[in-house]
């Protein structure tokens, strides 16, 4: 079992169960923090204004029945038993479902995709878990052909995935606000109605500021406290629930019958339907079970939910209902919250535990927001941002400074602006149910295309869960003016940013493809312009996977010289979560051997960690050396045609070290060795020595080519990056000019450089400016 990568393996049965239980324990703190704090505000939001609690108890029994069946059908049945199986090589979330669909139907939106990407081992995993029956196979073929034929359907699928993603980001603003504010609201029982409003908001804002200010330290530094806090909170609310059930109303279990839902809607009618927006909050955080699947195994998440979380929440809601069923006279609606059912002697300890649990739940959604923005950025749907990996041991723990402070400002604005759980609940409920609706729609397609189920099964799934979620969605949407407009406004803003960035990136790539230079032109530059080859390796960054980018011709035309060894480097993301190191580098040769021109395509998954520039540079050079030594192009029997270089690419692993690798302390001093390729790191200095084999089987040309590569590496490496200025063509419509000249230009000027280029020394970097007319 790999705790760092969240990858579960079972070397032995005894070890596997120990590993599963360990992961189940850890998941309580990471996955279920938000879901476990929902009892703080569900009843208070439900009984805010739409319905009133009466002496007949029909309202409270009806609400409890709705809560029970909602928790049973959505988190338990839908997510635990169905959705968790739709993982993308162990990863979950909206983009994981979309990635699966893109690989099975060729509806992907990445412009520089290649057929070679489909040979990745991760690309082919999980082809079908439902079998390949005749009916399912035929249905999958029909749906796939329909999606591939109609671009409108492809765009709708992309927009659907982006809507779900935007709502998750919006939930990253709303969940910390409502969780912390609801936890702090326990102070209202110790102060008067007029005074508690002046206490709750400042305390909640202070907790939120501390929460976001500590994000840069990383979850791993305090993560060991998360699981004990959530377990303590779940035990606390379940024990309080058991006490209230036996002390106030032992017969409250009768409300679990679905008959009470019918009685509730029959009596309350429109008010009861509108109150469903508050009941909906009992399943906030359910999506985290699927989104955080990459860090835990399916079995561990199932065990944690079914054995601890689910029964604790049911007991907590039953206990609150039992207390309220015997306390019909409520002085004010704000006293129907969670803390009123807590025995007075333990209210202060429970308040402290609740605040800690709310912080843990907020932490989970914040880190989840960082993760999904990283995915969007990797898949060209969000501007590049600074991504800091807060842990060198635990995979996936990242921190994005710009997003962190934006989330903090928005959380504070929501808290100060609303100042009550009712409107916060309306906003959070709409965001949550929208994400669930998107998941249901994408899951129905996954069932047909990936699991090879019949269309009838997929439609039944869509109708059953879609109807439940559509009912809650309508109840949330009707409260648009009472707070539900917040996630809609946030999603529209984020959607515009995503779409403008994706549109501009796509148009820029199309310009590169249309204006790429013939390789024959490059090979004929010597006689016409007097090209000078200087010592060293020149890395030309390009988005193209074939051909010569126009920016390089612009560079050579103005400065007719380039390096002894020239590498056209394309670093791209593929629609799989992880690419194995041995499959990362795709290396090929451009033109005859004597020109020393290479193309290297580096493939990363949308969850992969990009290496630092020093290690990356060493891997790159060693991969080219291995390509030369193995004679990949000759072994494949492919002729060296100048315009067919992309067909001669060979996979060379990132972990290949052609030569010897030594490590010595960084402060060690000694004479320089001209035969060494040095790549210093913080703690140690790695020396990669190309040791040319003395074997007579090595061709003289191969030996000479390796010698030239080694000498070029010793002379130094220069990174030639493009600085593009994208403008709309003359005569373009005003919408396109607005999107390109204002939107994309603003985003590109304020976005980060490519991840690998952040720490490149300025002395080794050359930027080439060029205007793109798209």
């Amino acid at each position: 079992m790999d705790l760092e990568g969240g990858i579960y393996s079972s070397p032995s049965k005894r070890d596997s169960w120990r590993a599963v239980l360990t992961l189940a324990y850890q998941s309580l703190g990471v996955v279920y923090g938000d879901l476990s704090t929902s009892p703080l505000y569900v009843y208070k939001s439900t009984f805010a204004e739409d319905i009133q609690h009466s002496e007949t108890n029909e309202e409270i029994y009806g609400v409890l029945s709705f809560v029970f069946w909602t928790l049973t059908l959505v988190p338990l049945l839908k997510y635990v038993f169905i959705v968790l199986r739709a993982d993308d090589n162990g990863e979950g979330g909206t983009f994981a479902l979309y990635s699966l669909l893109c690989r099975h139907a060729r509806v992907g939106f990445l412009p520089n995709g290649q057929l070679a990407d489909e040979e990745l081992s991760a690309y082919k995993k999980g082809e079908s878990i439902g079998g390949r029956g005749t009916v399912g196979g035929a249905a999958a073929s029909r749906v796939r052909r329909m999606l591939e034929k109609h671009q409108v359907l492809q765009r709708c699928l992309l927009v659907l995935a982006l809507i779900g993603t935007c709502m998750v980001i919006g939930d990253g603003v709303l969940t910390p606000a409502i969780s912390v504010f609801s936890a702090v609201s326990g102070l209202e029982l110790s102060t008067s109605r007029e005074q508690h409003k002046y206490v709750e908001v400042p305390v909640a804002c202070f907790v939120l500021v501390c929460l976001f200010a500590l994000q840069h330290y990383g979850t791993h530094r305090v993560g060991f406290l998360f699981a004990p806090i959530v377990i303590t909170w779940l035990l606390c609310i379940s024990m309080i629930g058991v006490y209230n059930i036996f002390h106030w109303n032992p017969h409250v279990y009768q409300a679990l019958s679905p008959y009470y839902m019918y009685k509730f809607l029959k009596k309350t009618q429109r008010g009861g339907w509108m109150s469903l927006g508050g009941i909906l909050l009992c399943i906030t955080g359910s999506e985290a079970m699927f989104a955080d699947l990459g860090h835990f195994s399916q079995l561990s998440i199932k065990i944690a939910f079914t054995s601890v979380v689910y029964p604790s929440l049911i007991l907590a809601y039953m206990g609150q209902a039992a207390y309220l069923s015997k306390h019909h006279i409520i002085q004010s609606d704000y006293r129907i919250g969670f803390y009123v059912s807590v025995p007075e002697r333990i209210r202060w300890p429970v308040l402290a535990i609740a605040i800690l649990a709310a912080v843990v739940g907020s932490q989970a959604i914040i880190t989840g927001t960082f993760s999904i923005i990283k995915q969007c950025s990797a898949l060209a749907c969000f501007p590049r941002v600074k991504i800091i990996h807060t842990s060198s041991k635990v995979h996936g723990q990242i921190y994005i400074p710009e997003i962190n402070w934006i989330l903090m400002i928005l959380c504070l604005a929501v808290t100060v602006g609303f100042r009550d759980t009712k409107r916060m609940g309306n906003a959070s409920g709409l965001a949550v149910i929208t994400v669930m609706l998107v998941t249901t729609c994408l899951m129905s397609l996954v069932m047909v295309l990936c699991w090879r189920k019949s269309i009838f099964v997929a439609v039944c799934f869509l109708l059953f869960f879609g109807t439940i979620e559509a009912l809650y969605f309508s109840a949330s949407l009707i409260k648009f003016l009472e707070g539900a407009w917040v996630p809609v406004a946030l999603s529209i803003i984020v959607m515009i940013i995503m779409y403008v960035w994706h549109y501009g990136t796509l148009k820029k790539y199309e310009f590169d493809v249309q204006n790429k230079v013939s390789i024959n032109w490059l090979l004929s530059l010597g006689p016409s312009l007097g090209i000078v080859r200087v010592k060293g390796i020149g890395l030309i960054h390009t988005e193209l996977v074939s051909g010569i980018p126009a920016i390089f011709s612009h560079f050579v035309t103005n400065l007719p010289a380039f390096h002894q060894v020239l590498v056209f480097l394309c670093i791209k993301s593929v629609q799989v979560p992880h690419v194995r190191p041995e499959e990362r580098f795709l290396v090929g040769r451009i033109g005859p051997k004597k020109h020393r021109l290479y193309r290297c395509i580096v493939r990363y998954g949308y969850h992969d960690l990009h290496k630092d520039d020093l290690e990356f540079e060493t891997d790159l050079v060693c991969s080219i050396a291995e390509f030369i030594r193995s004679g990949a192009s000759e072994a494949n029997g492919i002729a060296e045609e100048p315009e067919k270089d992309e067909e001669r690419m060979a996979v060379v692993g990132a972990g290949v070290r052609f030569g010897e690798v030594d490590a010595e302390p960084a402060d060690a001093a000694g004479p320089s060795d001209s035969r060494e390729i040095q790549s210093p790191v913080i703690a140690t200095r790695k020396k990669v020595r190309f040791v040319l084999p003395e074997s007579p089987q090595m061709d003289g040309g191969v030996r000479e080519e390796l010698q030239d590569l080694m000498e070029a590496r010793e002379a130094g490496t220069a990174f030639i990056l493009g600085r593009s200025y994208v403008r709309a063509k003359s005569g373009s419509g005003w919408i396109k000019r607005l999107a390109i000249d204002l939107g994309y230009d603003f985003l590109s000027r304020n976005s980060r450089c490519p991840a690998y280029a952040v720490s490149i020394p300025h002395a080794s970097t050359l930027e080439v400016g060029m205007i793109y007319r798209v």
Side-chain angles (χ1 to χ4, degrees), residues 270-469:
R270 186 175 185 273
W273 169 62
M274 294 181 65
S275 69
L276 294 179
I279 298 174
L280 164 66
L281 298 177
C282 71
I283 53 176
T284 56
S286 299
E287 187 74 20
M289 286 191 288
F290 184 47
D292 291 332
L293 186 59
H295 302 289
F296 306 96
S297 64
Q298 293 184 24
L299 184 57
S300 64
I301 291 180
K302 292 178 180 179
I303 290 176
F305 182 79
T306 56
S307 63
V308 180
V309 180
Y310 179 75
S312 298
L313 291 176
I314 297 300
L315 289 175
Y317 287 116
M318 289 178 64
Q320 289 186 58
Y323 177 87
L324 294 175
S325 67
K326 299 300 180 181
H327 295 77
H328 305 121
I329 302 177
I330 305 297
Q331 296 179 359
S332 181
D333 58 352
Y334 81 97
R335 288 183 175 267
I336 202 172
F338 167 78
Y339 291 102
V340 73
S341 65
V342 178
E344 189 172 355
R345 293 181 179 180
I346 60 173
R347 277 180 185 169
W348 286 107
V350 171
L351 174 64
I353 298 173
I355 293 176
L356 291 175
V359 169
V360 171
S362 302
Q363 175 68 48
I365 192 65
I366 292 170
T367 54
T369 304
F370 292 159
S371 178
I372 200 166
I373 287 178
K374 177 182 180 293
Q375 295 178 36
C376 295
S377 180
L379 297 177
C381 284
F382 199 85
R384 291 185 297 268
V385 290
K386 183 179 181 180
I387 298 175
I388 300 174
H389 292 265
T390 58
S391 174
S392 59
K393 298 180 179 180
V394 183
H395 171 76
Q397 292 191 3
I398 61 175
Y399 168 67
I400 305 177
E402 298 95 334
I403 302 301
N404 182 69
W405 302 123
I406 291 174
L407 289 178
M408 186 191 75
I409 293 172
L410 293 176
C411 276
L412 294 176
V414 169
T415 303
V416 175
F418 285 162
R419 301 184 185 182
D420 62 64
T421 56
K422 175 193 172 185
R423 287 182 289 181
M424 290 184 192
N426 295 338
S428 180
L430 183 60
V432 168
I433 199 61
T434 303
V435 176
M436 293 183 175
L437 269 173
V438 170
T439 300
T440 300
C441 295
L442 294 179
M443 271 298 303
S444 62
L445 289 174
V446 168
M447 286 181 170
V448 176
L449 292 175
C450 307
W451 293 0
R452 307 287 176 167
K453 299 292 185 182
S454 66
I455 295 180
F456 176 76
V457 174
V459 170
C460 289
F461 175 86
L462 180 64
L463 290 178
F464 181 75
F465 291 104
T467 301
I468 297 173
E469 291 160 358

Side-chain angles (χ1 to χ4, degrees), residues 360-592:
V360 171
S362 302
Q363 175 68 48
I365 192 65
I366 292 170
T367 54
T369 304
F370 292 159
S371 178
I372 200 166
I373 287 178
K374 177 182 180 293
Q375 295 178 36
C376 295
S377 180
L379 297 177
C381 284
F382 199 85
R384 291 185 297 268
V385 290
K386 183 179 181 180
I387 298 175
I388 300 174
H389 292 265
T390 58
S391 174
S392 59
K393 298 180 179 180
V394 183
H395 171 76
Q397 292 191 3
I398 61 175
Y399 168 67
I400 305 177
E402 298 95 334
I403 302 301
N404 182 69
W405 302 123
I406 291 174
L407 289 178
M408 186 191 75
I409 293 172
L410 293 176
C411 276
L412 294 176
V414 169
T415 303
V416 175
F418 285 162
R419 301 184 185 182
D420 62 64
T421 56
K422 175 193 172 185
R423 287 182 289 181
M424 290 184 192
N426 295 338
S428 180
L430 183 60
V432 168
I433 199 61
T434 303
V435 176
M436 293 183 175
L437 269 173
V438 170
T439 300
T440 300
C441 295
L442 294 179
M443 271 298 303
S444 62
L445 289 174
V446 168
M447 286 181 170
V448 176
L449 292 175
C450 307
W451 293 0
R452 307 287 176 167
K453 299 292 185 182
S454 66
I455 295 180
F456 176 76
V457 174
V459 170
C460 289
F461 175 86
L462 180 64
L463 290 178
F464 181 75
F465 291 104
T467 301
I468 297 173
E469 291 160 358
L471 179 64
Y472 283 115
F473 179 79
S474 63
S476 298
L477 194 62
I478 200 67
K479 298 184 178 180
F480 182 82
L481 298 178
E482 300 177 24
W485 60 270
V486 172
V488 176
L490 290 175
S491 297
I492 290 175
I493 294 173
V494 178
M495 177 73 76
I496 291 175
I497 292 174
M498 286 184 169
Y499 194 81
V500 167
W501 181 261
H502 175 66
Y503 178 76
T505 303
L506 188 61
K507 289 298 180 182
K508 179 182 173 183
Y509 184 81
E510 290 175 356
F511 179 90
D512 276 333
V513 172
Q514 295 169 2
N515 294 273
K516 67 181 181 180
V517 181
S518 168
I519 297 176
N520 288 326
W521 171 87
L522 176 64
L523 300 180
S524 64
L525 281 178
S528 60
L529 290 178
I531 291 294
V532 178
R533 303 296 290 269
V534 298
K535 291 184 177 181
I537 297 178
L539 296 179
I540 313 295
H541 178 260
T542 175
E543 301 294 334
L544 296 176
V545 295
S546 64
I548 306 299
I551 201 166
F552 179 71
S553 65
H554 181 68
F555 165 70
V556 172
T557 303
N558 291 275
L559 184 63
F562 53 80
H563 294 80
Q564 174 186 358
V565 175
L566 201 64
V567 180
F568 290 92
L569 177 65
C570 175
I571 299 180
K572 69 175 188 176
S573 295
V574 292
Q575 287 171 328
V576 295
H578 303 284
V579 176
R580 297 169 61 183
E582 57 268 24
E583 298 176 325
R584 178 150 296 153
F585 285 85
L586 201 59
V587 184
R589 183 181 286 109
I590 299 176

Side-chain angles (χ1 to χ4, degrees), residues 75-93 96-97 100 103-104 125-131 289-291 293 296-299 301-302 439 443 446-447 450-453 457 461:
L76 184 62
L77 180 59
K78 175 187 171 182
Y79 280 94
V80 170
F81 291 107
I82 301 176
V83 175
L84 283 180
R85 301 170 65 203
D87 64 297
D88 182 12
N89 295 282
E91 299 291 339
L97 293 177
L100 283 173
R103 298 209 301 270
H104 285 79
K125 285 184 180 179
E127 285 289 316
S128 172
I129 65 172
M289 286 191 288
F290 184 47
L293 186 59
F296 306 96
S297 64
Q298 293 184 24
L299 184 57
I301 291 180
K302 292 178 180 179
T439 300
M443 271 298 303
V446 168
M447 286 181 170
C450 307
W451 293 0
R452 307 287 176 167
K453 299 292 185 182
V457 174
F461 175 86

Side-chain angles (χ1 to χ4, degrees), residues 114-152:
Q114 296 173 281
L115 290 176
D117 297 337
E118 299 182 10
E119 300 300 321
L120 293 170
S121 56
Y123 199 97
K124 300 179 178 180
K125 285 184 180 179
E127 285 289 316
S128 172
I129 65 172
R132 292 181 175 268
T134 304
V135 177
S141 299
R142 289 196 301 269
V143 174
R144 183 175 60 252
R145 287 195 300 267
M146 182 177 62
L147 288 174
E148 293 175 352
K149 182 179 180 180
H150 301 284
Q151 289 190 353
V152 175

Side-chain angles (χ1 to χ4, degrees), residues 5 10 21 69 91 102 111 183 189 194 199 248 269 319 361 368 401 403 469 525 531 559 603 620 668 723 762 771:
S10 53
L21 294 178
W69 287 105
E91 299 291 339
C102 289
L189 297 179
E194 294 74 18
V199 176
W248 297 110
Q269 297 182 355
I403 302 301
E469 291 160 358
L525 281 178
I531 291 294
L559 184 63
R603 301 174 292 186
L620 176 64
R723 173 67 69 176
H762 293 291
I771 297 178

